[in-house]
Amino acid sequence: MPRKLRSRPLTDNPQLLGLLLTLPALMAILAVVLIPIVSSFWLSLHQKDLSRPQYDAFIALKNYLTLLRDSRYLNSLWVTFRFSLTSVIMEVILGVSIALVLNQRFVGRGFVRGLMILPWAMPSIVNAAMWKWIYNADYGALNALLTQLHIIEGYRVWLADPTWATILIILANVWKETPFTVILVLAALQAIPEDLYEAARVDGASAWRSFWHITLPLISPVLMVASMLQFIWGFQTFELVYVTTGGGPFSTTELTTLRVYATTFRSLRFGYGAAMAYLTSLVILIPAVFYIRSAYRRVVEM
């Protein structure tokens, strides 16, 4: 009699088993991420204006070409780039400095390390409301402190001044985002062997030379990751500016997220707003590609 053929169990084919196990997650990603991305890109190729639905039409890349001549959008792009770059520089400098202090041994070190995470863990809208209260012209803590210290003679409307408004929202963003850099750098510092520092001390190296030739090269990959993430998050900042300045005065603090929001949900120009969001994402992608290439080069050289 012919022998019965037994079906092979799934465990004999690890590729098929892995595909089946990840299929639910892939379907969820497809439904939640990929489909909205494709549909919003398709929307960006249309003139979709809810205030004038009779003019809706497929216009291909016309929205993108119009954006390249949109002075207000280009200004928001420059404001966002300046905001993100300045924030990243300050966050890296402060993050490394604070991490070096927290890496030392002192009483209450664990408690202080725990406190460092609080600003970053605070919801963005709560952080924005707190800084709006601090900067308030009538009863803000900043005016009260500077007046009591006799630095200023009377209360000032800080957020009505274009220069001060830009500086103050950057400081508020740095206060919230710096702990993330501190945590990453602190973890990298703890992974550095103590033998390297002992050898440097035996050779007569100063603390600065040890930092420059040992600490900085070994934490540079972490700094690169932190800088890139902070730069991208800077382009995603919305609540802080929306609550504190609303993009003013004179659009000096209008980030691209605020411009996209105003175009899409206030002016109801959904097609143009979608194109604006995609063009901004392309701008963010450029430094991200540079980072990936640099990281890959480091891995190849190791």
Side-chain angles (χ1 to χ4, degrees):
M1 294 185 62
R3 297 176 60 185
K4 292 184 178 181
L5 296 177
R6 294 183 179 181
S7 59
R8 296 177 59 188
L10 290 177
T11 53
D12 290 348
N13 191 337
Q15 289 81 11
L16 179 60
L17 178 62
L19 178 62
L20 292 176
L21 291 176
T22 57
L23 187 60
L26 292 175
M27 293 179 64
I29 293 174
L30 177 66
V32 177
V33 178
L34 187 58
I35 293 177
I37 288 177
V38 174
S39 61
S40 60
F41 178 73
W42 179 249
L43 179 63
S44 72
L45 303 178
H46 289 74
Q47 179 177 320
K48 187 69 173 179
D49 191 342
L50 294 189
S51 62
R52 298 184 299 173
Q54 66 274 18
Y55 297 111
D56 291 353
F58 178 79
I59 56 175
L61 298 177
K62 186 176 179 180
N63 281 329
Y64 293 93
L65 297 176
T66 305
L67 274 175
L68 298 178
R69 301 187 301 270
D70 189 337
S71 59
R72 190 161 183 182
Y73 169 72
L74 295 177
N75 175 72
S76 71
L77 204 60
W78 165 246
V79 170
T80 308
F81 177 80
R82 184 177 57 186
F83 168 83
S84 300
L85 184 61
T86 307
S87 297
V88 167
I89 293 173
M90 296 179 65
E91 287 158 8
V92 168
I93 295 174
L94 286 174
V96 173
S97 303
I98 296 173
L100 288 172
V101 173
L102 295 180
N103 195 43
Q104 307 300 317
R105 295 181 180 179
F106 56 89
V107 178
R109 181 177 65 172
F111 177 74
V112 176
R113 287 179 176 179
L115 288 178
M116 280 302 305
I117 195 65
L118 292 181
W120 188 65
M122 182 181 297
S124 298
I125 189 66
V126 176
N127 176 68
M130 180 188 71
W131 284 103
K132 182 181 181 180
W133 172 78
I134 292 174
Y135 297 151
N136 188 276
D138 298 322
Y139 51 81
L142 178 61
N143 272 326
L145 176 63
L146 296 180
T147 303
Q148 292 175 6
L149 294 176
H150 303 288
I151 297 176
I152 59 176
E153 295 181 357
Y155 281 23
R156 295 178 57 180
V157 187
W158 298 100
L159 298 180
D161 184 286
T163 302
W164 277 110
T166 302
I167 293 173
L168 292 178
I169 65 167
I170 290 175
L171 292 178
N173 185 66
V174 169
W175 182 85
K176 177 172 172 53
E177 300 296 340
T178 298
F180 176 78
T181 304
V182 173
I183 294 170
L184 292 185
V185 175
L186 185 59
L189 289 174
Q190 293 178 340
I192 299 177
E194 187 63 28
D195 297 343
L196 297 177
Y197 294 107
E198 293 179 358
R201 284 193 293 268
V202 170
D203 292 339
S206 62
W208 169 251
R209 292 181 65 86
S210 297
F211 170 79
W212 188 257
H213 294 286
I214 299 176
T215 305
L216 193 58
L218 292 178
I219 67 173
S220 58
V222 173
L223 290 179
M224 185 176 293
V225 172
S227 300
M228 181 52 56
L229 289 176
Q230 299 286 17
F231 185 79
I232 293 174
W233 291 343
F235 271 79
Q236 297 176 343
T237 302
F238 175 76
E239 295 90 343
L240 177 62
V241 179
Y242 180 79
V243 172
T244 54
T245 65
F250 312 114
S251 301
T252 53
T253 62
E254 186 180 51
L255 305 183
T256 52
T257 51
L258 214 61
R259 185 91 289 272
V260 171
Y261 169 80
T263 301
T264 307
F265 297 105
R266 289 183 179 173
S267 302
L268 301 179
R269 301 172 65 188
F270 281 79
Y272 195 62
M276 195 176 293
Y278 267 91
L279 188 58
T280 305
S281 301
L282 181 62
V283 172
I284 302 174
L285 187 63
I286 295 173
V289 170
F290 172 77
Y291 160 72
I292 293 173
R293 288 175 60 89
S294 300
Y296 177 76
R297 192 180 300 114
R298 285 175 175 270
V299 172
V300 171
E301 291 175 354
M302 291 178 61

